[in-house]
Amino acid sequence: MNLLQLNTSVEKLRFLQDYNVPARDVFSFFSDHNRWSEVYPAIIRRLTDSVDPRNANGLGSSRIIAMFPTIFQETITKYEEGNLIEYKITFGSPFKNYVGNMRFVDLGNGKSRLDYSIEFEPRIPKTGFILRNLVEKRVGDAIRELAHRFDKNPNY
């Protein structure tokens, strides 16, 4: 085993969040790159459009995320309308091999669940714990904030 293998740790996070709106509404929010910054503390904008002319936010599209002190790019690598969004960080950030996977589950009766997993390795050895806590806090707060906004206004 080489020294780099000893210092590399894969961090895995999983978030489950229920919403009092149908899965299509939650999917619609999270599939729109330009809406993310309404609940996430960063400037987020679509950078490149999808290859699908009917959906600029679909497969192959990317977003730029500016969050002091970093700027990075995420690219949609899997996209199933209404069900799944998977993305990877493709430029910048303190992460490597970062993959986010968002599954949207219809629970019936106008309710839904987001099953969101994130996996990454820290670019700098021994920073995994710090990065994990940062991602856990920011992503967790964002998905809970969206649930709160939907509770206040189901048409959000």
Side-chain angles (χ1 to χ4, degrees):
M1 185 179 297
N2 71 36
L3 187 58
L4 286 178
Q5 288 174 321
L6 291 173
N7 290 328
T8 302
S9 64
V10 175
E11 298 290 338
K12 296 179 181 182
L13 296 144
R14 185 170 182 211
F15 303 90
L16 294 173
Q17 177 66 52
D18 289 352
Y19 294 89
N20 293 318
V21 295
R24 72 177 177 273
D25 295 346
V26 181
F27 180 89
S28 178
F29 180 89
F30 282 116
S31 66
D32 184 343
H33 297 304
N34 295 331
R35 292 201 68 196
W36 273 74
S37 57
E38 293 175 25
V39 295
Y40 194 81
I43 298 168
I44 305 171
R45 292 289 173 254
R46 186 176 58 245
L47 183 62
T48 56
D49 291 351
S50 168
V51 294
D52 181 352
R54 297 167 293 151
N55 181 6
N57 293 304
L59 184 65
S61 65
S62 67
R63 58 183 163 246
I64 192 93
I65 300 172
M67 182 172 47
F68 185 80
T70 64
I71 295 177
F72 53 97
Q73 180 179 335
E74 295 177 341
T75 302
I76 304 300
T77 55
K78 291 182 185 174
Y79 186 94
E80 296 173 16
E81 184 68 38
N83 298 309
L84 170 72
I85 301 169
E86 184 175 281
Y87 63 93
K88 294 181 179 179
I89 291 182
T90 50
F91 175 79
S93 94
F95 308 101
K96 64 180 182 179
N97 302 321
Y98 184 109
V99 176
N101 183 292
M102 306 175 84
R103 295 191 178 277
F104 302 84
V105 180
D106 196 341
L107 300 175
N109 296 321
K111 297 183 185 299
S112 60
R113 176 171 295 143
L114 171 62
D115 184 348
Y116 189 174
S117 62
I118 296 172
E119 189 171 300
F120 66 86
E121 295 173 58
R123 200 168 288 287
I124 300 169
K126 299 187 181 198
T127 61
F129 177 76
I130 295 166
L131 294 174
R132 178 189 176 86
N133 286 338
L134 178 69
V135 172
E136 199 166 42
K137 169 85 171 108
R138 291 195 172 169
V139 171
D141 286 352
I143 63 176
R144 284 186 296 274
E145 175 61 23
L146 182 60
H148 176 71
R149 290 184 186 200
F150 274 130
D151 285 344
K152 287 176 67 176
N153 178 6
N155 296 316
Y156 179 75

